[in-house]
Amino acid sequence: MTNVKMVRNVLDKNDRLADDIREMTATSNTVLFNMMGTPGAGKTSLLEALIPELKKDYQIGVIEGDVATANDADRIAALDVAAAQINTDRFGGSCHLGSEMVKPALEELDYQDLDMVIIENIGNLICPAHFDIGANYNIAVLSITEGADKPVKYPLMFRESQLAIINKIDLLQHLNIDIDEMLTGIKDINSKIDILQMSAMNQNDGVELHKWIADKMD
Amino acid sequence: MTNVKMVRNVLDKNDRLADDIREMTATSNTVLFNMMGTPGAGKTSLLEALIPELKKDYQIGVIEGDVATANDADRIAALDVAAAQINTDRFGGSCHLGSEMVKPALEELDYQDLDMVIIENIGNLICPAHFDIGANYNIAVLSITEGADKPVKYPLMFRESQLAIINKIDLLQHLNIDIDEMLTGIKDINSKIDILQMSAMNQNDGVELHKWIADKMD
């Protein structure tokens, strides 16, 4: 009983801070995207493909979440946009971002001057979906190499997201994977979710994702 | 402060139960392997490749951990070995197996009659490594498609494991990935770890893994 109550207190505090974040960013007209998915789904590569085009129209900031290393923030900073790294090592190796980590990172980025902040959450198909971090939109990224059954085995992330990206679609031809099973699995969990099949490595594929994001900025 | 203490209590209870499990299985001469890795690293496919050969020499049981579905236990039961499914949905969607879940599953499998039990942990590169479940050996599975930097970004699992399997190695030729960076990353974290590069889809590749496991059974 005591355990359950303690977990609830932590979640309550997280959710209150998430509401604060939504209020702060609404005031400054900054839209927050929360990108989630397993390690190696290709989240950082998607951002590297997307940002050079997006930054022509928007002031962008990126928050990178990782257990260890600043590898991803370095990759994003190389694109000449504001990037902040959160390492959860100092939060006990936490497997997800929480609002108490995101709020100071937004302040570090001077979010008031930005049109959008994209948060790349910790690589993990489970835990990040349990924690509201004040984002306006959640994006679930999975790689086609992960297998067709992953959405039904890890449903919460797809339930909580407005967009699912099936990445590395160029590898489908080398795999024994039924893409229709994956698509049906996602839609069965969340009939309203948008789905994009793409490869971060293929420049043309980025156009649809760009459009999806721009649509949310109107 | 209270939070920290509560987490410690939960961990203490988990670790005490893990010690119980080690004692139980030592008495019955049952060796416990704990297989961990991201969703889609190919853990179940590895077991499907491995078990038909292993069961010629050993009495085997398998415990499958998933947030939802019994897909994996069904795949293993089709190989005609004892399989138990743990769904963590009823543990609040837990992102890892804990000793309190593994102990009853071992009993369900009549572990006393088995030479080995292979536990396929929840698909997650972070959380399972934080929880001792009484295994004698930990095996970290990652797919080459996940990218060369994953070990240094998620170090704990590689620190806690005796074997790292780099799976789906047949796809390397289609990827722009530096395998040497991945190997160096693993060895920098844990110089004593064994590493196998293989594809679960290639029957010949299974021989080395079979040997590694048989070696631990002596």
Side-chain angles (χ1 to χ4, degrees), chain A residues 145, chain B residues 38 40-42 141-147 165-168 171 182:
Chain A
T145 60
Chain B
T38 56
V141 183
L142 78 167
S143 153
I144 185 69
T145 60
E146 293 169 29
I165 297 175
I166 303 176
N167 195 19
K168 308 193 193 182
L171 292 175
M182 188 180 263

Side-chain angles (χ1 to χ4, degrees), chain A residues 3 6 66 72 145 153 168, chain B residues 3 6 72 145 153 168:
Chain A
N3 274 349
M6 190 58 62
D66 274 301
D72 290 354
T145 60
K153 287 176 67 180
K168 308 193 194 181
Chain B
N3 273 349
M6 189 59 63
D72 289 355
T145 60
K153 286 175 69 180
K168 308 193 193 182

Side-chain angles (χ1 to χ4, degrees), chain B residues 9-80:
Chain B
N9 283 349
V10 173
L11 278 174
D12 281 352
K13 193 186 159 197
N14 180 76
D15 290 355
R16 271 200 311 276
L17 271 174
D19 288 339
D20 286 355
I21 290 173
R22 255 185 299 269
E23 208 168 299
M24 284 160 46
T25 51
T27 306
S28 64
N29 231 339
T30 311
V31 182
L32 238 65
F33 296 90
N34 176 26
M35 200 177 248
M36 304 181 281
T38 56
K43 297 181 293 301
T44 316
S45 297
L46 279 170
L47 291 179
E48 286 177 318
L50 188 68
I51 286 174
E53 287 303 312
L54 270 183
K55 69 184 261 207
K56 294 178 186 167
D57 297 322
Y58 305 104
Q59 291 291 325
I60 303 175
V62 176
I63 296 175
E64 284 291 339
D66 274 301
V67 177
T69 82
N71 291 3
D72 289 355
D74 291 346
R75 285 169 65 182
I76 298 302
L79 305 172
D80 202 23

Side-chain angles (χ1 to χ4, degrees), chain A residues 39-41 75, chain B residues 125 142 146-155 158 182:
Chain A
R75 285 169 66 182
Chain B
L125 199 52
L142 78 167
E146 293 169 29
D149 61 347
K150 292 311 164 293
V152 298
K153 286 175 69 180
Y154 304 89
F158 298 90
M182 188 180 263

